[in-house]
Amino acid sequence: MAFSWIYNVWIILLPIFDSAQSSYSEDQCSWRGSGLSQEQGSVEQISLHCSEGALDWLYPKGALRLTLSPRLPSAAVGPGGSSSGQITACVKPSENFHGAQLYLERDGVLELLIGDRLEASPPPRVRCFSRMPGEKVALFLQATPHQDISRRIASFLYELRGDWTARLSLDLNPVSSNEGACRPCNNSELLMAVCTSDYVVRGNIKAVNEDGELRAAVIKVSATRVFRQKYALFNGSSRLSRSGEIRTLLQCGVRPGAGSFLFTGRVHFGEAWLGCAPRYKDFLQAYAQAKLAQQLPCELDVD
């Protein structure tokens, strides 16, 4: 979709991952505001500086320009420990997203990420995209004309991460690519995942179901040991009876299987997504070899 007409009407869009200093919102992670104070055709300038947060635009009118300058840690790298400078962003619209459209601009072309939801349409899905080093991308929200804006709220959550998200996209009609997302981790990637993942859990697969809304596989896990979890993902009445759910791309074809696994991965919008997941005995072998060669990136209190 060519965007020259919008480009002329609104603004020159600045990069979403911009290092320039713009006006700060009071909360550097989230923003909440109303279009009632905006003039028709005006553009509100917003700058956020966190790796995750939320935006709530009540009674949309005019447009918003959102500049995200995340202060990602230097450790925000992929499972293999290398960083290509790529940053991946995901936005999760609210189920009642109304009154605006969210666009991604890349190389002079507008791509619609989230449209103005009609009353009878299904809830919008998570959309993800990546920015390669030196690439110019931008986001903006444009209000859609309505006679009655009193019930219109355009809200979404956002996440920005380092190179590791290149292997996983929650967007199955992608602006970003899922290529390689189902590839098994090699030993170097596995050992780095143990150090950097949001959760590291030993457990068994009880069942695999399908999440129709996300078009993802939901792995029901019985956790026999929780080495680490950033959020309360695996819960139970005792240390040996914890359970939880892990999601992965449906195209990866995960099936229930006997035996013990080591599950690692990241948390996206409060849900665990799968990273590396070898059989536990294979992990122990890789761990022992790396320890003998003094090449462990970090230590884990294994059995």
Coordinates of all heavy atoms in Angstrom, one line a residue, residues 110-157:
L110 N 3.4 1.3 3.6 CA 2.6 1.1 4.8 C 2.1 -0.3 4.8 O 1.5 -0.8 3.8 CB 1.5 2.1 4.9 CG 1.8 3.5 5.4 CD1 0.5 4.3 5.5 CD2 2.5 3.4 6.8
E111 N 2.3 -1.0 5.9 CA 1.7 -2.3 6.1 C 0.7 -2.3 7.3 O 1.1 -1.9 8.4 CB 2.7 -3.4 6.4 CG 3.8 -3.5 5.2 CD 4.9 -4.4 5.6 OE1 4.6 -5.6 5.8 OE2 6.0 -3.9 5.8
L112 N -0.5 -2.6 7.0 CA -1.5 -2.6 8.1 C -1.3 -3.7 9.1 O -1.3 -4.9 8.7 CB -2.9 -2.7 7.5 CG -4.1 -2.7 8.5 CD1 -4.2 -1.4 9.2 CD2 -5.4 -3.0 7.8
L113 N -1.0 -3.4 10.3 CA -0.9 -4.4 11.4 C -2.2 -4.8 12.0 O -2.5 -5.9 12.2 CB 0.1 -3.9 12.5 CG 1.6 -3.7 12.1 CD1 2.4 -3.2 13.3 CD2 2.2 -5.0 11.5
I114 N -2.9 -3.7 12.4 CA -4.2 -4.0 13.1 C -5.2 -3.0 12.6 O -5.0 -1.8 12.6 CB -4.1 -3.7 14.7 CG1 -2.9 -4.6 15.2 CG2 -5.4 -4.0 15.4 CD1 -2.5 -4.2 16.7
G115 N -6.3 -3.6 12.1 CA -7.4 -2.7 11.5 C -8.4 -2.4 12.6 O -8.4 -2.9 13.7
D116 N -9.3 -1.4 12.2 CA -10.4 -1.0 13.1 C -11.4 -2.2 13.2 O -12.0 -2.5 12.2 CB -11.0 0.2 12.6 CG -12.0 0.8 13.6 OD1 -12.2 0.2 14.7 OD2 -12.6 1.9 13.3
R117 N -11.5 -2.8 14.3 CA -12.3 -4.0 14.4 C -13.8 -3.7 14.3 O -14.3 -2.8 15.0 CB -12.0 -4.7 15.8 CG -12.7 -6.0 15.9 CD -12.5 -6.6 17.3 NE -13.4 -7.7 17.5 CZ -13.8 -8.2 18.6 NH1 -13.5 -7.5 19.7 NH2 -14.6 -9.2 18.7
L118 N -14.5 -4.5 13.5 CA -15.9 -4.4 13.4 C -16.6 -5.2 14.5 O -15.9 -6.1 15.1 CB -16.4 -4.9 12.0 CG -15.9 -4.2 10.8 CD1 -16.3 -5.0 9.5 CD2 -16.3 -2.8 10.8
E119 N -17.8 -4.8 14.8 CA -18.5 -5.5 16.0 C -18.5 -7.0 15.9 O -18.3 -7.7 16.9 CB -19.9 -4.9 16.1 CG -20.0 -3.4 16.4 CD -19.4 -3.0 17.7 OE1 -19.3 -3.9 18.6 OE2 -19.1 -1.9 17.9
A120 N -18.7 -7.5 14.7 CA -18.9 -9.0 14.6 C -17.6 -9.7 14.2 O -17.6 -10.9 14.1 CB -20.0 -9.3 13.5
S121 N -16.5 -9.0 14.0 CA -15.3 -9.6 13.6 C -14.6 -10.3 14.7 O -14.7 -9.9 15.9 CB -14.4 -8.6 12.9 OG -14.0 -7.6 13.9
P122 N -13.7 -11.3 14.5 CA -13.0 -12.0 15.5 C -12.0 -11.1 16.2 O -11.6 -10.1 15.6 CB -12.4 -13.2 14.8 CG -12.3 -12.7 13.4 CD -13.5 -11.9 13.1
P123 N -11.6 -11.4 17.4 CA -10.5 -10.5 18.1 C -9.3 -10.5 17.3 O -8.9 -11.5 16.6 CB -10.3 -11.3 19.4 CG -11.5 -12.1 19.6 CD -12.0 -12.5 18.3
P124 N -8.6 -9.3 17.2 CA -7.3 -9.2 16.4 C -6.3 -10.1 17.1 O -6.3 -10.3 18.3 CB -7.0 -7.7 16.5 CG -7.7 -7.2 17.7 CD -9.0 -8.1 17.8
R125 N -5.3 -10.5 16.3 CA -4.2 -11.4 16.8 C -3.0 -10.6 17.0 O -2.8 -9.4 16.6 CB -3.9 -12.5 15.7 CG -5.0 -13.4 15.5 CD -4.6 -14.5 14.5 NE -4.5 -14.0 13.1 CZ -3.3 -13.7 12.5 NH1 -2.2 -14.0 13.1 NH2 -3.3 -13.3 11.3
V126 N -2.0 -11.2 17.7 CA -0.7 -10.6 18.0 C 0.0 -10.5 16.6 O -0.1 -11.3 15.8 CB 0.1 -11.5 18.9 CG1 1.5 -11.0 19.0 CG2 -0.5 -11.6 20.3
R127 N 0.6 -9.3 16.4 CA 1.4 -9.1 15.2 C 2.8 -8.8 15.6 O 3.1 -8.1 16.6 CB 0.8 -7.9 14.4 CG -0.6 -8.1 14.0 CD -0.8 -9.4 13.1 NE 0.1 -9.4 12.0 CZ -0.2 -8.9 10.8 NH1 -1.3 -8.3 10.6 NH2 0.7 -9.0 9.8
C128 N 3.8 -9.4 14.9 CA 5.2 -9.2 15.2 C 6.0 -8.7 13.9 O 5.6 -9.1 12.8 CB 5.8 -10.5 15.7 SG 5.1 -11.1 17.2
F129 N 7.0 -8.1 14.1 CA 7.9 -7.7 13.0 C 9.3 -7.4 13.6 O 9.5 -7.2 14.8 CB 7.4 -6.4 12.3 CG 7.3 -5.2 13.2 CD1 8.3 -4.3 13.3 CD2 6.1 -5.0 13.9 CE1 8.2 -3.2 14.1 CE2 6.0 -3.9 14.7 CZ 7.1 -3.0 14.8
S130 N 10.3 -7.5 12.7 CA 11.7 -7.3 13.1 C 12.3 -6.1 12.4 O 11.9 -5.8 11.2 CB 12.5 -8.6 12.8 OG 12.1 -9.6 13.6
R131 N 13.3 -5.5 13.0 CA 14.0 -4.4 12.4 C 15.5 -4.9 12.3 O 16.1 -5.2 13.3 CB 14.0 -3.2 13.2 CG 14.7 -2.0 12.5 CD 15.4 -1.1 13.5 NE 16.6 -1.8 14.0 CZ 17.5 -1.2 14.9 NH1 17.3 0.0 15.2 NH2 18.5 -1.9 15.3
M132 N 16.0 -5.0 11.1 CA 17.4 -5.3 10.9 C 18.3 -4.1 11.1 O 17.8 -2.9 11.0 CB 17.6 -5.9 9.5 CG 16.8 -7.1 9.2 SD 17.1 -8.5 10.3 CE 18.8 -8.9 10.0
P133 N 19.6 -4.3 11.4 CA 20.5 -3.1 11.6 C 20.4 -2.2 10.4 O 20.5 -2.6 9.2 CB 21.8 -3.8 11.7 CG 21.5 -5.2 12.2 CD 20.3 -5.6 11.6
G134 N 20.2 -0.9 10.7 CA 20.2 0.1 9.7 C 18.9 0.3 9.0 O 18.7 1.2 8.2
E135 N 17.9 -0.6 9.3 CA 16.6 -0.5 8.6 C 15.7 0.6 9.3 O 15.7 0.7 10.5 CB 15.9 -1.8 8.6 CG 14.7 -1.9 7.8 CD 14.1 -3.3 7.8 OE1 14.3 -4.1 8.7 OE2 13.3 -3.6 6.9
K136 N 15.0 1.3 8.5 CA 14.1 2.4 9.0 C 12.7 1.8 9.0 O 12.1 1.5 8.0 CB 14.2 3.6 8.1 CG 15.5 4.2 8.0 CD 15.9 5.0 9.2 CE 17.2 5.7 9.0 NZ 17.6 6.5 10.3
V137 N 12.1 1.7 10.2 CA 10.7 1.3 10.4 C 10.1 2.3 11.3 O 10.7 3.0 12.1 CB 10.6 -0.1 10.9 CG1 11.1 -1.1 9.9 CG2 11.3 -0.3 12.2
A138 N 8.8 2.3 11.3 CA 8.0 3.2 12.2 C 6.6 2.7 12.4 O 6.1 1.8 11.6 CB 7.9 4.6 11.5
L139 N 6.0 3.2 13.4 CA 4.6 2.8 13.7 C 3.8 4.1 13.9 O 4.3 5.1 14.4 CB 4.5 2.1 15.1 CG 4.8 0.6 15.1 CD1 4.6 0.1 16.5 CD2 4.0 -0.2 14.1
F140 N 2.5 4.1 13.5 CA 1.6 5.2 13.9 C 0.2 4.6 13.9 O -0.2 3.7 13.2 CB 1.8 6.4 13.0 CG 1.2 6.3 11.7 CD1 -0.1 6.8 11.4 CD2 1.9 5.8 10.6 CE1 -0.7 6.7 10.2 CE2 1.3 5.7 9.3 CZ 0.1 6.2 9.1
L141 N -0.6 5.3 14.8 CA -2.0 5.0 15.0 C -2.8 6.1 14.3 O -2.5 7.3 14.6 CB -2.4 4.9 16.5 CG -2.2 3.6 17.2 CD1 -2.1 3.8 18.7 CD2 -3.2 2.6 16.8
Q142 N -3.7 5.7 13.5 CA -4.5 6.7 12.8 C -6.0 6.4 13.2 O -6.5 5.3 13.0 CB -4.4 6.6 11.3 CG -5.2 7.6 10.5 CD -5.2 7.3 9.0 OE1 -4.4 6.5 8.6 NE2 -5.9 8.1 8.2
A143 N -6.7 7.4 13.7 CA -8.1 7.3 14.1 C -8.9 7.1 12.8 O -8.6 7.7 11.8 CB -8.5 8.5 14.9
T144 N -9.9 6.3 12.9 CA -10.9 6.2 11.8 C -12.1 7.0 12.1 O -12.6 7.1 13.3 CB -11.2 4.7 11.6 OG1 -11.6 4.1 12.9 CG2 -10.0 3.9 11.1
P145 N -12.7 7.6 11.1 CA -13.9 8.5 11.4 C -15.1 7.7 11.9 O -15.5 6.6 11.3 CB -14.2 9.1 10.0 CG -12.9 8.8 9.2 CD -12.3 7.6 9.7
H146 N -15.7 8.2 12.9 CA -16.9 7.6 13.5 C -17.8 8.8 14.0 O -17.3 9.8 14.5 CB -16.6 6.7 14.6 CG -16.0 5.4 14.2 ND1 -16.7 4.3 13.6 CD2 -14.7 5.0 14.3 CE1 -15.8 3.3 13.4 NE2 -14.6 3.7 13.7
Q147 N -19.1 8.7 13.8 CA -20.0 9.7 14.3 C -20.0 9.7 15.9 O -20.0 10.7 16.5 CB -21.4 9.4 13.9 CG -21.7 9.6 12.4 CD -21.5 11.1 12.0 OE1 -21.8 12.0 12.8 NE2 -21.0 11.3 10.8
D148 N -19.9 8.5 16.5 CA -19.9 8.3 17.9 C -18.6 7.7 18.3 O -18.3 6.5 18.1 CB -21.1 7.5 18.4 CG -21.1 7.3 19.9 OD1 -20.4 8.0 20.6 OD2 -21.8 6.4 20.4
I149 N -17.7 8.5 19.0 CA -16.4 7.9 19.4 C -16.4 7.6 20.9 O -15.4 7.2 21.5 CB -15.3 8.9 19.2 CG1 -15.5 10.2 20.0 CG2 -15.2 9.2 17.7 CD1 -14.3 11.1 19.9
S150 N -17.6 7.7 21.6 CA -17.7 7.5 23.0 C -17.3 6.1 23.5 O -16.9 5.9 24.6 CB -19.1 7.9 23.5 OG -20.0 7.0 23.0
R151 N -17.5 5.1 22.6 CA -17.2 3.7 23.0 C -15.9 3.2 22.2 O -15.7 2.0 22.2 CB -18.4 2.8 22.6 CG -19.6 3.2 23.4 CD -20.9 2.5 22.9 NE -20.7 1.1 22.7 CZ -21.5 0.3 22.0 NH1 -22.6 0.9 21.4 NH2 -21.3 -1.0 21.9
R152 N -15.1 4.1 21.7 CA -14.0 3.6 21.0 C -12.7 3.7 21.8 O -12.4 4.8 22.4 CB -13.8 4.5 19.7 CG -15.0 4.7 18.9 CD -15.4 3.4 18.1 NE -16.7 3.6 17.5 CZ -17.3 2.6 16.7 NH1 -16.6 1.5 16.6 NH2 -18.4 2.8 16.2
I153 N -12.0 2.6 22.0 CA -10.7 2.6 22.7 C -9.8 1.7 21.9 O -10.1 0.6 21.6 CB -10.9 2.0 24.1 CG1 -11.9 2.9 24.9 CG2 -9.5 2.0 24.8 CD1 -12.1 2.3 26.3
A154 N -8.6 2.3 21.5 CA -7.6 1.5 20.8 C -6.5 1.2 21.8 O -5.7 2.2 22.2 CB -7.1 2.3 19.7
S155 N -6.4 0.0 22.3 CA -5.4 -0.4 23.3 C -4.6 -1.6 22.8 O -5.1 -2.5 22.1 CB -6.1 -0.8 24.6 OG -6.9 0.3 25.1
F156 N -3.3 -1.6 23.2 CA -2.5 -2.8 22.9 C -1.3 -2.8 23.9 O -0.9 -1.8 24.5 CB -2.0 -2.8 21.4 CG -1.1 -1.6 21.1 CD1 0.3 -1.6 21.3 CD2 -1.6 -0.5 20.4 CE1 1.1 -0.6 21.0 CE2 -0.8 0.6 20.1 CZ 0.6 0.5 20.4
L157 N -0.8 -4.0 24.1 CA 0.4 -4.3 24.8 C 1.5 -4.4 23.8 O 1.3 -4.8 22.6 CB 0.3 -5.6 25.6 CG -0.8 -5.7 26.6 CD1 -0.8 -7.1 27.2 CD2 -0.7 -4.6 27.7

